[in-house]
């Protein structure tokens, strides 16, 4: 079930967002949550754009079903995810109150600008997430060690000329040099569209769902 919503807050930025509930949704059960941050090209006020790529692409276009709750907020035009760190965390708090989320199984992922947002949000509150998956994003290298206890899976095209793969390589080293558990899937011959590999099939979702705080 794919629906559109708006989160209202007097203190924080009011996100419009896309929500997906599993086909067998039962409000008495607890579900994993995949929290998704889109890229720069999906900013604005068209919520269909916020789910143009990633898992919701396959829900919308192929009717694919997933065993997790999916939430994708939308970033406004001319802003980036780093502008809304506090608002995103407050929004996530409310989502966990409104829906039956297993708070030991919250997963964070995003692509391009959202891959960078994934790094930034995870660094702001690393204890919140069971695992993260930044796709073709750039991180804050000097702060990478704070994620040493968070499993990380990156995807990046080796031909990416928008966010060079070196951004993921340096983050891999930054996390693992502190004893972390970061992995990098190099998408050979792929430019900036590594998300078409990352979110297709079941590899990434199975990896995410295998982790629990």
């Amino acid at each position: 079930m794919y629906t559109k919503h708006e989160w209202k807050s007097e203190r924080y930025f009011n996100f419009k967002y896309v929500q997906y509930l599993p086909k067998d949704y039962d409000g008495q059960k607890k579900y994993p949550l995949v929290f998704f941050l889109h890229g720069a090209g999906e900013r604005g006020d068209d919520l269909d754009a916020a789910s143009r790529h990633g898992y919701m692409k396959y829900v919308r276009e192929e009717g694919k079903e997933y065993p997790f709750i999916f939430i994708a907020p939308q970033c406004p035009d001319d802003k980036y995810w780093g502008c809304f760190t506090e608002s995103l965390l407050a929004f996530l708090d409310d989502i966990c109150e409104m829906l039956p989320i297993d708070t030991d199984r919250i997963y964070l992922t995003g692509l391009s600008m959202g891959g960078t947002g994934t790094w930034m949000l995870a660094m702001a509150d690393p204890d919140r997430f069971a695992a993260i998956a930044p796709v073709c994003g750039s991180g804050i290298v000097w702060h990478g060690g704070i994620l040493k206890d968070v499993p990380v899976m990156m995807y990046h095209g080796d031909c990416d000329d928008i966010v060079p793969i070196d951004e993921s390589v340096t983050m891999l080293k930054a996390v693992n040099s502190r004893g972390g558990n970061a992995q990098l899937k190099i998408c050979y011959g792929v430019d900036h569209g590594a998300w078409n590999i990352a979110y297709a099939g079941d590899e990434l979702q199975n990896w995410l769902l295998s982790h629990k705080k």
Side-chain angles (χ1 to χ4, degrees):
M1 184 187 304
Y2 165 86
T3 53
K4 303 173 184 178
H5 305 267
E6 184 171 3
W7 179 60
K8 296 289 188 178
S9 169
E10 294 182 358
R11 180 176 178 184
Y12 298 102
F13 181 78
N14 294 333
F15 292 107
K16 293 181 179 179
Y17 66 98
V18 169
Q19 173 179 292
Y20 168 84
L21 302 178
K23 184 178 180 180
D24 66 348
Y25 178 76
D26 177 349
Q28 303 304 310
K29 291 172 55 178
K30 293 285 188 180
Y31 292 88
L33 170 66
V34 173
F35 196 69
F36 174 77
L37 303 178
H38 63 69
E42 292 77 63
R43 291 176 292 183
D45 56 9
D46 175 6
L47 273 174
D48 286 334
S51 52
R52 183 178 295 148
H53 302 297
Y55 290 125
M56 287 308 96
K57 167 185 169 68
Y58 301 102
V59 170
R60 296 173 63 202
E61 296 182 2
E62 302 176 11
K64 188 170 175 64
E65 297 174 3
Y66 294 99
F68 48 75
I69 292 173
F70 178 92
I71 298 290
Q74 187 168 40
C75 186
D77 283 328
D78 302 321
K79 299 291 184 182
Y80 67 103
W81 290 118
C83 299
F84 302 108
T85 299
E86 286 187 283
S87 293
L88 285 168
L89 291 173
F91 172 51
L92 185 53
D93 283 338
D94 269 11
I95 289 294
C96 291
E97 290 289 329
M98 293 186 290
L99 295 170
I101 303 297
D102 180 349
T103 55
D104 288 331
R105 302 183 73 195
I106 297 177
Y107 310 107
L108 175 63
T109 186
L111 61 91
S112 191
M113 182 188 80
T116 299
T118 295
W119 285 118
M120 298 177 75
L121 194 60
M123 288 177 176
D125 193 356
D127 293 335
R128 180 73 62 101
F129 304 103
I132 68 170
V135 178
C136 59
S138 56
I140 305 170
V141 176
W142 55 266
H143 201 40
I146 200 170
L147 296 176
K148 65 182 181 63
D149 296 321
V150 181
V152 179
M153 178 67 76
M154 291 169 276
Y155 286 76
H156 216 126
D158 68 333
C159 299
D160 195 331
D161 60 357
I162 295 177
V163 181
I165 193 172
D166 286 350
E167 296 287 348
S168 285
V169 172
T170 55
M171 288 306 300
L172 179 79
K173 295 176 180 177
V175 175
N176 289 347
S177 66
R178 298 294 183 89
N181 179 21
Q183 302 175 57
L184 170 60
K185 295 277 188 178
I186 300 175
C187 304
Y188 292 101
V190 174
D191 53 19
H192 194 50
W195 53 81
N196 292 317
I197 294 173
Y199 299 111
D202 296 332
E203 179 185 62
L204 178 56
Q205 69 154 317
N206 288 342
W207 181 86
L208 288 169
L209 295 171
S210 72
H211 292 91
K212 185 176 182 178
K213 282 173 47 181

